[in-house]
Amino acid sequence: MTFSLIGRCARTGQFGAVATTSGLCIGARVPFLAAGIGGVLTQHRTDPRLGPRGVELLRSGCTAQETVAALEASTPDHGWRQFAAIDRAGRTAHFHGARVKPAHNHAHGADCVAIGNILASDQVPRAMVDAFLAHPEAPLGDRLIDALKAGEAAGGEGRPWSAPRC
């Protein structure tokens, strides 16, 4: 399971992202950002090439929607993928492949988008966006942490997880 949010602070122009996942290595393959440009989220069955490619598309002037469409078109395994993007103007887009495990969902808000898979509730992304938007005057980092907390409070991951035993 993974749920994540990418957002922009309209006051400062900063971009940030948060993600939580049961797979220890996956977290490093979800958020990809560039200052003043925007960023992308790639999750479910990840391909580490897609994040940097998405950022380069944004850097070249593509909108969030164009970036997500290009990522979908550029991977033959797009049915297993989940993407989201935000561009320098705060526009957002997402994609869920047909093979992404349920419950999965997305939510968009002003300057943010959240996506998730293998969720306990399909309301997790909406709760994340609502929390991110609740205090626009707060520092971006605080808003991102609030989004993670709200996702967990809305149900978080959809299956029990236990720490590895030594």
Side-chain angles (χ1 to χ4, degrees), residues 139-156:
L140 180 61
D142 292 348
R143 296 170 66 197
L144 292 168
I145 296 299
D146 289 347
L148 274 184
K149 289 179 181 177
E152 182 64 25

Side-chain angles (χ1 to χ4, degrees), residues 1-3 19-31 42-46 117-118 157-164:
M1 74 82 206
T2 304
F3 54 93
T20 183
T21 182
S22 289
L24 297 177
C25 300
I26 302 305
R29 296 165 83 168
V30 173
T42 68
Q43 58 190 52
H44 201 260
R45 304 273 172 98
T46 63
N117 61 71
I118 314 176
E157 72 177 285
R159 58 180 157 192
W161 182 84
S162 60

Side-chain angles (χ1 to χ4, degrees), residues 1-6 18 20 30 41-44 81-85 93-109 112-130 151 154 156-158:
M1 74 82 206
T2 304
F3 54 93
S4 58
L5 178 139
I6 192 166
V18 289
T20 183
V30 173
L41 302 170
T42 68
Q43 58 190 52
H44 201 260
R81 313 277 188 232
Q82 216 176 13
F83 309 122
H94 77 278
F95 168 78
H96 299 289
R99 301 178 110 178
V100 173
K101 293 184 180 179
H104 66 273
N105 209 349
H106 65 277
H108 295 261
C112 66
V113 59
I115 57 177
N117 61 71
I118 314 176
L119 301 171
S121 163
D122 65 0
Q123 294 305 302
V124 169
R126 177 84 263 149
M128 294 177 76
V129 165
D130 290 347
E157 72 177 285

Side-chain angles (χ1 to χ4, degrees), residues 47-63:
D47 177 341
R49 300 170 294 186
L50 296 175
R53 174 162 164 61
V55 170
E56 286 309 310
L57 288 163
L58 291 167
R59 191 180 312 279
S60 76
C62 290
T63 66

